[in-house]
Structure formats: C-alpha cells, structure tokens
Amino acid sequence: MYRTKTIDFSKVKCYVKSVDITGIERSNDDYIRKHVGHEIFNSGNFEDVLEKSQEIRARLLKLGCFKTVDIVIDADNSEKSSKSYKVLVEVEEQNPVGGNIHTSIGNNEGSLSSAVYLPNIFGKGERLVAEYTYGTSNHVDYRVSYTNPINQDPDKHFNASAFRTSNDFSWSKYKQTDSGFNIDILTPFEFMLRNKYHVKGTHLFTYEAIWRNLISYMDSAFEIREQSGHSLKSSIKYTNLIDRRDHTALPTAGGFLKTTIELAGLGGDVKFFRYNSDYQYTKTFFNYLTTQFSLSEGLILPLKKSDPISVIDKNFLGGPLSLRGFKNRGAGPHSDDCSLGSDVYCLAGAHLYTPLPFLHKNKKLNWLKTHSFANIGYILSNNQIKQMINEQNVHIMINNTRLSVGTGIVIGFGNIARLELNYVWPLWKLNGDKIQNGMQFGVGINFN
C-alpha cells in the first residue's frame, strides 16, 4: 500500500549556485543576461527557486526571441552541500525568417493578412515585418514596420512604419489612398488611485506624415467632389489607454478609457486640432445580470478659421455597433446620399446583458447573451456649438439629438470580435438621416 506525503517547499532550505542557458545562437548575451536577472540567487528555499524560475521563463518569452523556454532545476553535484542547486534554462530561438496568414475583424469588415517577418534581427528583440492586408470593403494595405525595444525593455517599444493604403467609403461616395510613414513610442504606466485601485495603462506618442488622395465617385455630391485631390498631413498624436475589462468583446466587469489628442499642421496643408475619448464601465449583479454604460465624444477644430476641414477628417455617427438604428455614418449632414460628417459629436449607451432563458447556469454559453440597449447622441458643427454657447440655447443640441432602443442577441468570439443581431427602433431622428428600422446586424471589436 502506497502512502502519500505532502512536502512544503517553503521549508526546504536551499540556494542557487549557477544559472546556465543553452540554445542561444543569435541573441545578444548581455540582453538575455539582463532579463534573467540576479533575483534567483537570493532564494532561501525551494519554493522561492520555483517561483523565480517561472518569472525568468515569463520574462524570456516576452522578449519575442524564443519559441520555447524550459526550466530544469537540478542538484549541483560540484558542491558538497545538499542545499546547492543549479538552474538550467533551455531555449529554442525563433527562426531567422517567419511568416503567417491570419484573418481579423474590424467594424463590419473582415480582412485577410499575410506577413513575412524577421524576428530578433540584431539579437536584442528587434523585429522587421512586411505585411499585406485585403479587406472585404475594398480595403488594401501594404506596410513595412520595424520595432525595437526601448532600453532593452520589452514593454516599451519604438516603431517605425512605411505604408500605402486604399479604402472605399461608399457611404460618402469617395475612395481614399494614403502613402506615408509614422513613428510610435509606446510606454506603460501604473499607479495606485486613492491607495485602493491599481491602474495600469499605456502612453502612445505618434508622429505621422501622410500624402492623401481623395477620389470621388462619378455621382458624388458636389461637397465631396470639390474636395477631390491631394493633401499632405503632418501630425503628432498622443493616446492614453486604460483597459481593465475582463473581456474585450463581451465584458462582465471592469472599465475602459481611451483618450486621443492630435495636432495636425506641422507641415503640409492639413491643419486641425482633434480630441476623442471613449469610456466604458461594466458591472455584473446577482452573477447573471450585466449592466454597461458607455460614452464617446469628440471634436475637431481648424487651427485658423480659413482652414477647411476635409471630409476625410470629419467626425461621423451611426452604425450597428455605435448609434444603432442608423446606417453606417447615417446620422448627420447628407447631400445626394453622401454622408458629409461634422465637427462635434457625443454618444452614450446603456446596455443590459442576460443569459439565454433557462440557461443561466450553463457557463459554457457565456459567449452568447441577450442584449437590450438604448443609444442617445448628437453630432453638430462648430458653428452650431458657438451659436448654442452665445445664445445659451440648449435646444440646438436637443433638436439634433438622436435616440434608439432595441433588443437582440450578442455573441463574443473570444477577444477577437463581437457579433450583434438586434431589432432596433430609432425613436428620435432628423430629416436626411439614414435609419435602419428593424433588424440590424453588426460585427466588430469597437462598440458603444
């Protein structure tokens, strides 16, 4: 008869004599040594050795240099003491050249991407990628990008990209091609809020230079055709992102905050200031009843009164995952069936998610829920905002407010996308709006 015995590793005294790494061919020794660290040599018991070994493995995998990282802990026979151990780190480096083909989902658009990449090309986690993407809405993207860790920190990135893209904006009846480059610097941050909440997020600083070409349809509105042609945009942008949701597509708890500020006019003929923010908060009651509140707002201002704002840069409202009950870019100014966009918008949403009837105890169906909602929002020009402020007339905003309610089902596809099938009633609408009364289908990752 066998007996079982539980061993408390925290009471097994030991120390680490050496850490050996095998399998390194192209990676820089100093770079790897920095991320292995010295903490494991301060271990006083076997439990510490196990925990710090796993921390080493996690750090090495994050570098993007290795396919696999395995840790072996063995007694050090070179020492007389039985408390002496050695740690062997066995790594398999990434192939010098790699590639992949994958699909992705944007808002009501699917795309197929193929990429060839050179990982760890200089031995310190650098990466060079050439990528081609084709989307279902005639979206085409060619892109070459180079990424380099800042100060050998895999959480901080410098990225430079050159690209050429083309898009078809059928709701405004024009096509757009962009050629240019951008430079990104990504850094994480974290802090304690009121000594109670641990907040983590990222700062993203971007410089962008783009040569843009707007090509109008034959039957485009005059307001679109008069903007046809080339423009040059040079801008700096700052994005702050905090995402504490437990799920990207179908959260049950947590908050999300994304704020973007952009200044264009460092060169070229496109000059504006832009602000956008998106906020979500989700909470579940009684284990099954999930409520969610969302708020999006944005504005764009010309740097001078004489600087025109192109339809390319305008704000739009409407769609199956934003202002439901309206078609894509369906709310706001239109001319000859062309959505013209405007300057200032605000959109709020209230959502209620519940399990399917009689299936609330089946946790395997957490990806499928019923969905009831209300969306309310407005889109205004800068002149209307000035008039509202000068005349202290809030009715300008009220008279331009849209409201819709509806119910349906929502499906979460992992953290890739969400699918909504809703029956929607647009209750408040304006003349010229393109509404979608009844069934509306939407798929994407960004939603309000």
Side-chain angles (χ1 to χ4, degrees):
M1 182 177 181
Y2 295 98
R3 293 184 301 172
T4 60
K5 183 179 180 180
T6 302
I7 300 176
D8 186 354
F9 286 137
S10 65
K11 295 181 180 180
V12 179
K13 302 299 180 183
C14 68
Y15 64 91
V16 174
K17 178 66 176 179
S18 64
V19 176
D20 298 321
I21 306 175
T22 63
I24 293 179
E25 296 179 2
R26 295 181 295 115
S27 299
N28 182 275
D29 290 342
D30 292 336
Y31 182 58
I32 302 303
R33 190 180 297 115
K34 176 181 178 179
H35 292 284
V36 170
H38 298 87
E39 295 86 354
I40 195 167
F41 294 105
N42 299 324
S43 303
N45 57 65
F46 200 74
E47 184 178 60
D48 283 347
V49 174
L50 291 174
E51 291 178 353
K52 291 175 181 176
S53 296
Q54 289 305 310
E55 291 173 3
I56 290 174
R57 181 177 183 274
R59 288 198 297 267
L60 292 180
L61 285 173
K62 187 186 288 187
L63 300 181
C65 302
F66 308 114
K67 283 184 181 179
T68 61
V69 178
D70 296 316
I71 305 288
V72 177
I73 302 172
D74 199 2
D76 185 9
N77 296 326
S78 65
E79 294 286 321
K80 295 181 179 180
S81 173
S82 61
K83 299 180 181 180
S84 177
Y85 286 84
K86 60 182 179 181
V87 176
L88 177 62
V89 182
E90 300 175 342
V91 301
E92 181 184 1
E93 290 188 327
Q94 298 271 10
N95 294 328
V97 180
N100 60 50
I101 298 176
H102 65 274
T103 58
S104 59
I105 298 176
N107 278 7
N108 271 15
E109 180 187 34
S111 61
L112 176 68
S113 299
S114 60
V116 177
Y117 54 85
L118 306 177
N120 200 27
I121 53 177
F122 300 121
K124 294 184 178 181
E126 307 88 350
R127 189 178 182 90
L128 182 65
V129 181
E131 187 172 19
Y132 168 77
T133 301
Y134 181 80
T136 55
S137 299
N138 294 324
H139 165 71
V140 179
D141 183 290
Y142 303 88
R143 187 174 301 265
V144 177
S145 60
Y146 170 77
T147 304
N148 184 45
I150 299 174
N151 293 330
Q152 301 184 7
D153 186 344
D155 293 323
K156 299 178 181 179
H157 292 285
F158 167 86
N159 178 272
S161 300
F163 57 86
R164 178 176 176 82
T165 66
S166 63
N167 292 279
D168 188 350
F169 297 98
S170 57
W171 42 79
S172 296
K173 294 187 179 180
Y174 72 86
K175 297 179 181 180
Q176 177 184 340
T177 60
D178 295 340
S179 301
F181 70 91
N182 58 39
I183 297 173
D184 298 322
I185 295 176
L186 176 70
T187 62
F189 68 87
E190 58 181 300
F191 61 90
M192 292 299 296
L193 181 62
R194 297 180 180 177
N195 295 322
K196 183 178 180 181
Y197 302 102
H198 187 206
V199 179
K200 298 176 66 176
T202 58
H203 300 294
L204 177 63
F205 302 90
T206 303
Y207 171 75
E208 195 170 56
I210 308 177
W211 175 23
R212 315 184 301 183
N213 186 19
L214 188 154
I215 306 168
S216 60
Y217 288 9
M218 293 293 293
D219 60 342
S220 298
F222 175 75
E223 292 87 344
I224 300 295
R225 286 186 280 115
E226 68 175 348
Q227 300 181 52
S228 297
H230 300 272
S231 61
L232 182 61
K233 174 187 169 185
S234 175
S235 70
I236 55 174
K237 185 188 301 184
Y238 167 72
T239 302
N240 180 289
L241 176 64
I242 300 172
D243 193 349
R244 300 285 291 169
R245 298 173 297 179
D246 60 352
H247 195 278
T248 303
L250 194 57
T252 59
F256 170 86
L257 176 64
K258 181 180 180 181
T259 304
T260 302
I261 298 172
E262 183 179 11
L263 178 65
L266 305 180
D269 55 352
V270 178
K271 300 176 181 180
F272 62 76
F273 170 82
R274 183 200 298 276
Y275 164 82
N276 294 94
S277 70
D278 298 286
Y279 170 78
Q280 288 181 10
Y281 181 73
T282 308
K283 189 170 184 178
T284 298
F285 298 92
F286 312 115
N287 294 326
Y288 308 114
L289 194 66
T290 300
T291 59
Q292 184 179 76
F293 172 77
S294 59
L295 177 67
S296 298
E297 57 186 359
L299 64 87
I300 185 168
L301 298 170
L303 298 188
K304 296 179 181 179
K305 291 183 179 180
S306 59
D307 294 333
I309 300 295
S310 170
V311 66
I312 296 174
D313 303 306
K314 290 279 189 177
N315 291 310
F316 294 87
L317 203 58
L321 297 180
S322 59
L323 182 58
R324 297 163 181 83
F326 294 78
K327 295 183 178 180
N328 276 327
R329 299 190 176 191
H334 284 75
S335 176
D336 294 337
D337 287 332
C338 294
S339 178
L340 303 179
S342 199
D343 304 312
V344 181
Y345 75 94
C346 183
L347 175 64
H351 306 260
L352 177 65
Y353 304 94
T354 60
L356 293 177
F358 312 110
L359 296 175
H360 60 279
K361 293 184 179 180
N362 190 341
K363 296 188 179 298
K364 293 183 179 180
L365 292 177
N366 283 342
W367 50 271
L368 175 62
K369 295 184 178 182
T370 63
H371 175 216
S372 301
F373 62 87
N375 285 128
I376 186 169
Y378 63 82
I379 184 166
L380 300 170
S381 68
N382 288 324
N383 290 333
Q384 287 176 304
I385 295 294
K386 291 177 183 177
Q387 181 184 356
M388 184 175 68
I389 295 174
N390 292 335
E391 299 178 3
Q392 297 183 352
N393 184 3
V394 72
H395 290 288
I396 295 176
M397 182 183 70
I398 296 174
N399 293 336
N400 283 275
T401 297
R402 283 82 167 174
L403 172 67
S404 64
V405 298
T407 187
I409 60 172
V410 58
I411 300 173
F413 292 99
N415 279 321
I416 301 173
R418 64 188 267 144
L419 181 151
E420 291 187 18
L421 181 61
N422 299 313
Y423 195 93
V424 194
W425 294 271
L427 302 182
W428 297 351
K429 54 186 181 295
L430 274 66
N431 291 333
D433 287 346
K434 293 187 176 181
I435 64 171
Q436 182 76 45
N437 196 354
M439 299 301 298
Q440 189 174 33
F441 172 81
V443 60
I445 193 63
N446 299 313
F447 62 97
N448 189 294

